[in-house]
Amino acid sequence: MNSTKLILLSIFFFVFSAWANEKVSDMSNMTGGDSVTDQSEFAISNINRTLAKAFHMFAFADCIAALVLFFIARRNAKTNYTKAKKFFLIGLVCFVSAIIFFLLPKLLFLSPTFPGNFDMRAT
Amino acid sequence: MTYFLVVEVALLFTLIVAKIALFPRLSLAEKSKLLERWSLNFSFEIINRLLAFSLGTLALHSGTFEQASTSGFYFLFYILVLDFIFYCRHRIYHRWFWAFHCTHHSDTGYDFTLSLRIHPFETLVQIGIFILVSSQMHINHWHMFLAAHIFTMQALVSHLDYRIPNTLLLRNLKRIFVLSDTHRFHHDDENPNCNFGFLFSFWDTFFGTAAKGARYELN
């Protein structure tokens, strides 16, 4: 790599970033910034939290199952294509269901409007 | 995050269906080879996603991203900085960390699943870079998700095995962005030390690592 160009570019990035950072800090002080901690789960009922955890655990188990199925598919790909294809497709289904089970709690149990949860907007 | 993940998965599965629709054209030996490659590449994807979600969640809950910028211009600069770091990282991998990066280059085929074939060590480094740069630059956590989404989509697009039309617009676009045929040149055994760019191709032009000669012709 052309080291002179690299050094010059790094200095440019550093200077620009430092300048922009100063501006950002000023802005954050004025507006209060955008906090991740705003996404509190205190209004979610215990049962719904447990259900969400169960869904996440199921998603994790699905990931492990998909890994095992892909491994079997890979082992059989050269010797028995039909069997390997079957395992691969089931593995894909597991992968998709893992994603669905990972995302669903956010839309259902962890949503303030879900039955059992306390809706802050009602106050 | 839900939206980003859904879009990424939808694109991934559209590509799978598109490729499966072309399966009848392949011989049994080719299908077996494809299945073998895809099984391994998807396994890497699952491991890497698990790593990314665990570490990403940890970083978010550590409160690293509290005072953050919402400026669109600053976000573009952030993308530029990240891509420059990824360019340097890619060159470093080829020179000193080939033991890890060879996982990505060891695939016998070339299609979008190659973008999933990443060694978990590389994923850890990638997440580390994202968290470090984002926290140092005071990036809004949604902007960080958007950047991760853009880079994931770009990884998929740059590993596509479809022919790119040789139009004036695309030729000019290739001067700025990395397209699939540009990146395929990098995966060619005869040209291992060129076209290291991830999103922008001008880093290669600037540092003299752009491939010279005719554009890569896909079979």
Side-chain angles (χ1 to χ4, degrees):
Chain A
M1 196 185 293
N2 187 331
S3 47
T4 320
K5 282 180 181 176
L6 182 71
I7 292 164
L8 284 174
L9 210 63
S10 305
I11 292 170
F12 164 73
F13 278 147
F14 180 76
V15 170
F16 192 90
S17 182
W19 169 77
N21 253 333
E22 246 173 56
K23 277 191 77 177
V24 169
S25 302
D26 292 347
M27 232 165 53
S28 299
N29 287 338
M30 281 190 292
T31 59
D34 184 8
S35 169
V36 185
T37 46
D38 288 344
Q39 301 166 335
S40 170
E41 282 184 11
F42 82 94
I44 311 297
S45 78
N46 279 337
I47 296 170
N48 288 341
R49 273 189 216 190
T50 316
L51 278 171
K53 264 184 197 161
F55 266 56
H56 284 149
M57 288 305 286
F58 190 80
F60 183 71
D62 256 350
C63 283
I64 304 297
L67 272 177
V68 172
L69 289 162
F70 285 145
F71 177 74
I72 298 169
R74 192 169 152 250
R75 286 283 293 261
N76 288 286
K78 273 187 184 153
T79 50
N80 191 343
Y81 173 73
T82 322
K83 187 182 170 188
K85 191 179 164 185
K86 205 186 289 174
F87 275 103
F88 178 74
L89 290 175
I90 301 169
L92 270 186
V93 171
C94 278
F95 182 39
V96 175
S97 88
I99 291 161
I100 292 170
F101 276 95
F102 177 75
L103 294 179
L104 268 182
K106 197 91 181 163
L107 304 170
L108 296 175
F109 314 118
L110 302 180
S111 153
T113 48
F114 194 76
N117 291 338
F118 173 66
D119 190 352
M120 289 291 286
R121 288 169 300 179
T123 57
Chain B
M1 194 184 79
T2 309
Y3 161 77
F4 296 143
L5 191 63
V6 167
V7 171
E8 276 168 28
V9 172
L11 178 69
L12 193 63
F13 279 87
T14 311
L15 291 170
I16 293 171
V17 172
K19 192 83 181 175
I20 286 173
L22 299 172
F23 262 23
R25 290 186 192 175
L26 303 175
S27 68
L28 187 65
E30 284 171 325
K31 282 181 190 174
S32 302
K33 195 182 141 195
L34 194 74
L35 206 60
E36 201 179 358
R37 285 183 47 239
W38 278 21
S39 303
L40 186 63
N41 295 353
F42 276 99
S43 303
F44 272 115
E45 167 72 352
I46 293 173
I47 295 167
N48 290 332
R49 285 269 172 183
L50 282 174
L51 263 179
F53 279 121
S54 323
L55 293 178
T57 313
L58 270 178
L60 272 182
H61 288 282
S62 66
T64 318
F65 303 99
E66 288 189 2
Q67 290 192 340
S69 152
T70 47
S71 150
F73 173 71
Y74 193 55
F75 173 70
L76 290 179
F77 176 67
Y78 166 63
I79 293 279
L80 197 73
V81 171
L82 270 180
D83 195 55
F84 172 67
I85 293 170
F86 289 160
Y87 169 82
C88 296
R89 179 211 60 171
H90 198 175
R91 291 197 67 172
I92 290 167
Y93 277 152
H94 271 261
R95 189 171 286 185
W96 291 300
F97 292 94
W98 181 249
F100 298 109
H101 192 57
C102 71
T103 308
H104 181 63
H105 282 266
S106 63
D107 203 341
T108 48
Y110 189 93
D111 60 28
F112 64 95
T113 63
L114 186 52
S115 67
L116 315 176
R117 194 184 176 109
I118 304 291
H119 195 283
F121 170 78
E122 285 190 47
T123 309
L124 282 176
V125 173
Q126 184 98 334
I127 297 164
I129 291 172
F130 256 105
I131 293 172
L132 195 73
V133 174
S134 310
S135 59
Q136 288 307 305
M137 288 181 72
H138 296 290
I139 291 295
N140 178 328
H141 67 287
W142 293 116
H143 278 177
M144 194 185 79
F145 283 139
L146 182 62
H149 179 61
I150 289 171
F151 282 107
T152 310
M153 299 285 261
Q154 168 62 13
L156 277 174
V157 169
S158 64
H159 289 94
L160 285 178
D161 55 341
Y162 301 118
R163 185 188 292 272
I164 291 193
N166 192 15
T167 59
L168 182 70
L169 175 73
L170 285 168
R171 274 203 305 274
N172 286 323
L173 208 63
K174 260 188 263 182
R175 290 172 202 267
I176 304 167
F177 296 105
V178 173
L179 298 184
S180 62
D181 51 354
T182 322
H183 193 68
R184 183 158 182 167
F185 210 90
H186 172 75
H187 277 269
D188 191 5
D189 289 338
E190 289 170 12
N191 314 285
N193 292 317
C194 64
N195 292 0
F196 290 100
F198 195 110
L199 178 64
F200 298 117
S201 57
F202 48 71
W203 301 124
D204 282 305
T205 317
F206 190 70
F207 290 111
T209 51
K212 290 173 182 72
R215 71 188 256 281
Y216 197 85
E217 290 292 340
L218 296 179
N219 294 319

